[in-house]
Amino acid sequence: MIVLGVESSCDETALAFVKDGTIVLGSEVASSVSKQALFGGVVPEVAAREHVKALLPLIESLEKKSGVSINNIDAVAVTRGPGLIGALLVGVSFAKALAVSLQKPLIPVDHVHAHVHGALLGLTGNVDQLFPALSLVISGGHSNIYYMRSPTNFEKLVSSIDDACGECFDKVGKILGTPYPGGPHIEVLARSGNKGSVDMPVMVKERNRLEFSYSGLKTHVLNTFRRLSLGVGDDSLEMAQIKADIAYSFQEEAFLQIARKIKSVQKVRPGTKSVIVSGGVAANQRFREIVAENSATEIVFPKLTYCSDNAAMIAALGFCLFKNEQDARVFDIIDWDPYSRQSIHT
Ligand code: KG4
Ligand code: ZN
């Protein structure tokens, strides 16, 4: 079964053809991040307008590169939420129009849940044996840990009470003067930082509190940077070292907080067979090391291309939802709406 995935929740317009849930036949992403970088963050209206421009050329290049015609798909899966509402409306309208014209079922997909399936793309063998699993979605908008009994069963155990992890990296990037998004730049800066040169607060250290908090870390970085950089020349070597040391210590605590929660959750939910890691922050090599050092079970990391937003993950989860549904006619009903923040189910 070939599913077309459609993703437009934020600043990436993406389309993909995925066969049987894990085999990617083609995956195209057009990012408006360079346009957003001019404003230092995502401007919702700019994102929505860029989706309008990008979708049709993208479907042409997807067909060309994959050799698959849009007429040969079996279903359309689309991000229903959460995301920027104007951006979602573009993708959902596009997907509804396609499903109606091709007379194919339309599968609405939760973007955050779909990230987990991004980690499963390309896996051969029986994916079901990874479950029950703990899954991490560490992205720009979310820091969630789920207990999953099966590939489509999501029980949210941990989320952030304030900023998401990736969002915090982007804000710290702004403080240290990196381009947007800050995450990849902080990772590079941190490589020249010295261990122990800057103190960081230990966030939510109580073992039984199953929640993340990142905004205190960001405020601490701001105050520390202001204090240490007083009277130091902007282009000096000393300034470069201050930034690297702060990036190092910030990154360590940002990820150690996640390691502590994995351990706590593994105690609360013993017997899980794997930790499935996903989201844009999962591209970070230090993050991968820290997770690997702190998990008692097998860990599944996504390929780098499927860490950040893409449509293959949407098609992959769409396939599983379709396969699970007893009565597939439910996907012929298309009078539903996107949601901008919380899923209507959780
Ligand atoms: O999953 P994603 O592409 O979009 C959302 O759904 O949010 O995640 C984007 C986030 C951004 O905050 C970005 O700074 C962060 O992922 N990110 C990283 C790295 N690469 C991307 N954070 C830390 N280290 C990286 N190497
Ligand atoms: Zn995402």
Side-chain angles (χ1 to χ4, degrees):
M1 175 173 179
I2 299 176
V3 178
L4 166 71
V6 180
E7 158 61 31
S8 73
S9 64
C10 192
D11 53 352
E12 264 98 26
T13 320
L15 297 173
F17 290 136
V18 175
K19 192 176 168 205
D20 298 338
T22 54
I23 306 162
V24 183
L25 304 176
S27 175
E28 294 291 301
V29 180
S31 177
S32 64
V33 74
S34 56
K35 296 220 162 100
Q36 311 288 357
L38 302 173
F39 303 95
V42 179
V43 180
E45 186 177 330
V46 174
R49 288 174 183 273
E50 291 304 312
H51 292 314
V52 172
K53 286 190 249 170
L55 273 168
L56 289 178
L58 212 57
I59 203 135
E60 261 176 43
S61 66
L62 178 67
E63 283 187 304
K64 219 179 258 172
K65 287 187 195 165
S66 66
V68 177
S69 158
I70 191 78
N71 295 310
N72 292 338
I73 63 165
D74 300 290
V76 181
V78 60
T79 300
R80 182 182 188 182
L84 306 169
I85 195 65
L88 288 165
L89 285 168
V90 178
V92 167
S93 306
F94 173 82
K96 283 191 177 189
L98 256 184
V100 168
S101 64
L102 297 171
Q103 296 199 323
K104 299 293 176 194
L106 180 69
I107 311 159
V109 170
D110 182 287
H111 174 93
V112 186
H113 293 177
H115 265 294
V116 177
H117 283 257
L120 306 179
L121 287 167
L123 289 189
T124 50
N126 186 6
V127 166
D128 288 343
Q129 72 192 9
L130 298 170
F131 297 87
L134 291 182
S135 63
L136 270 63
V137 183
I138 310 293
S139 69
H142 298 86
S143 311
N144 294 351
I145 301 181
Y146 297 92
Y147 177 73
M148 294 178 69
R149 286 173 189 82
S150 74
T152 52
N153 178 279
F154 291 82
E155 184 188 346
K156 190 160 74 184
L157 297 181
V158 187
S159 59
S160 176
I161 52 170
D162 41 57
D163 290 349
C165 180
E167 178 184 8
C168 188
F169 268 81
D170 297 339
K171 288 177 177 171
V172 166
K174 222 175 212 179
I175 295 168
L176 300 183
T178 75
Y180 171 84
H185 299 281
I186 300 285
E187 178 175 12
V188 174
L189 265 179
R191 289 191 198 128
S192 341
N194 293 314
K195 187 176 177 178
S197 51
V198 175
D199 286 335
M200 279 291 143
V202 177
M203 303 299 296
V204 207
K205 59 182 165 191
E206 299 88 351
R207 291 231 168 108
N208 55 353
R209 275 182 67 192
L210 290 183
E211 58 199 22
F212 290 117
S213 173
Y214 278 99
S215 75
L217 212 51
K218 168 196 65 192
T219 309
H220 185 81
V221 165
L222 178 64
N223 293 335
T224 305
F225 181 62
R226 280 188 180 150
R227 180 168 49 78
L228 296 179
S229 62
L230 214 63
V232 180
D234 277 353
D235 298 324
S236 64
L237 283 175
E238 192 186 347
M239 178 63 93
Q241 194 57 49
I242 289 169
K243 288 182 179 179
D245 289 343
I246 292 177
Y248 175 91
S249 298
F250 160 73
Q251 179 174 270
E252 287 298 297
E253 174 48 27
F255 295 154
L256 286 172
Q257 184 181 171
I258 297 171
R260 289 194 293 277
K261 295 303 151 196
I262 294 174
K263 283 188 169 165
S264 308
V265 171
Q266 280 174 336
K267 279 196 191 123
V268 176
R269 292 297 165 99
T272 50
K273 294 189 185 149
S274 65
V275 173
I276 304 171
V277 181
S278 66
V281 180
N284 186 298
Q285 290 308 312
R286 183 65 187 135
F287 173 64
R288 291 180 178 225
E289 276 170 26
I290 290 183
V291 173
E293 283 161 14
N294 285 281
S295 165
T297 61
E298 179 184 348
I299 304 172
V300 181
F301 289 111
K303 293 204 170 93
L304 284 184
T305 24
Y306 303 127
C307 288
S308 49
D309 288 349
N310 64 85
M313 66 186 199
I314 306 299
L317 176 54
F319 170 80
C320 293
L321 294 169
F322 189 83
K323 205 176 60 171
N324 269 7
E325 190 59 52
Q326 302 296 329
D327 185 354
R329 281 175 305 179
V330 61
F331 299 115
D332 294 335
I333 303 164
I334 57 169
D335 64 345
W336 46 262
D337 220 11
Y339 47 80
S340 62
R341 284 179 189 275
Q342 294 296 327
S343 150
I344 49 170
H345 305 295
T346 51

